[in-house]
Amino acid sequence: MATTSDIRNGLCIKYNHDIFKVIEFLHVKPGKGPAFVRTKLKSVTSGKVIDNTFSAGHKIDEVKVMTNKFQFLYNDNDFYHFMDVEDFSQIQLKESALDNPGLLKEGEVVTILINTEDNLPLSVEMPASVVLEVTATEPGVKGNTATNATKPATVETGAVVNVPLFINEGDKIKIETDKGTYKERVKE
């Protein structure tokens, strides 16, 4: 049994007859009243995100998980197919198990959390950032830089990301996978 002081990002817990992964948390100690932990939980079965508040010291059921490295092979509308990099076994996951599937490129190595009780995959942890090539974007208008102006750009996986005006087609950009936002342009 764990308590609210053990809550951290990526922790898998049993809550309301389902398994949830902690996406965000914040320990709050108000000036008046007891402390509490505000969390954002994502269901690993349905992908639904809920907000929940735990009082300080509340007992939570932690799910024991192990992590394995898997390589993304391909997706076929319903499922995403992965291969274990050690024993080459393959598994398939629904799109709801992935936090940001639009940024997943074929051949990318990810970490998959597997429930140790029943050996079922729970969720996919992508690298902190990925480098993708811009395949389509409007040309930037010169002189339109009084503020941090951005424009939409489509990357090689088909995802659309807002980028600064100086980014052109063919540029490689680094994208933060947790938020799906532009980080920097990558020079070869």
Side-chain angles (χ1 to χ4, degrees), residues 73-175:
L73 299 175
Y74 63 95
N75 73 319
D76 58 0
N77 296 336
D78 297 334
F79 293 99
Y80 283 72
H81 298 266
F82 296 89
M83 178 184 67
D84 192 321
V85 295
E86 292 179 11
D87 65 7
F88 308 112
S89 62
Q90 293 187 18
I91 61 169
Q92 58 185 12
L93 296 171
K94 290 184 180 177
E95 186 173 347
S96 63
L98 286 85
D99 290 335
N100 213 336
L103 299 177
L104 196 56
K105 184 168 71 169
E106 290 180 6
E108 191 78 42
V109 176
V110 297
T111 303
I112 296 184
L113 299 176
I114 299 172
N115 188 344
T116 56
E117 292 175 10
D118 54 12
N119 284 337
L120 290 176
L122 295 176
S123 70
V124 177
E125 290 181 355
M126 293 183 56
S129 60
V130 292
V131 175
L132 297 172
E133 184 175 335
V134 175
T135 56
T137 188
E138 298 283 324
V141 180
K142 194 170 187 169
N144 189 10
T145 57
T147 61
N148 290 338
T150 60
K151 60 182 179 179
T154 305
V155 293
E156 60 187 289
T157 59
V160 177
V161 179
N162 283 331
V163 298
L165 295 176
F166 59 83
I167 299 294
N168 298 313
E169 287 182 19
D171 287 351
K172 291 192 183 287
I173 59 173
K174 187 180 279 191
I175 302 169

Side-chain angles (χ1 to χ4, degrees), residues 9 15 20 22 24 26 68 86 95 102 104 111 142 180 186:
N9 286 343
Y15 178 72
F20 288 89
V22 177
E24 291 178 18
L26 178 66
N68 285 4
E86 292 179 11
E95 186 173 347
L104 196 56
T111 303
K142 194 170 187 169
V186 177

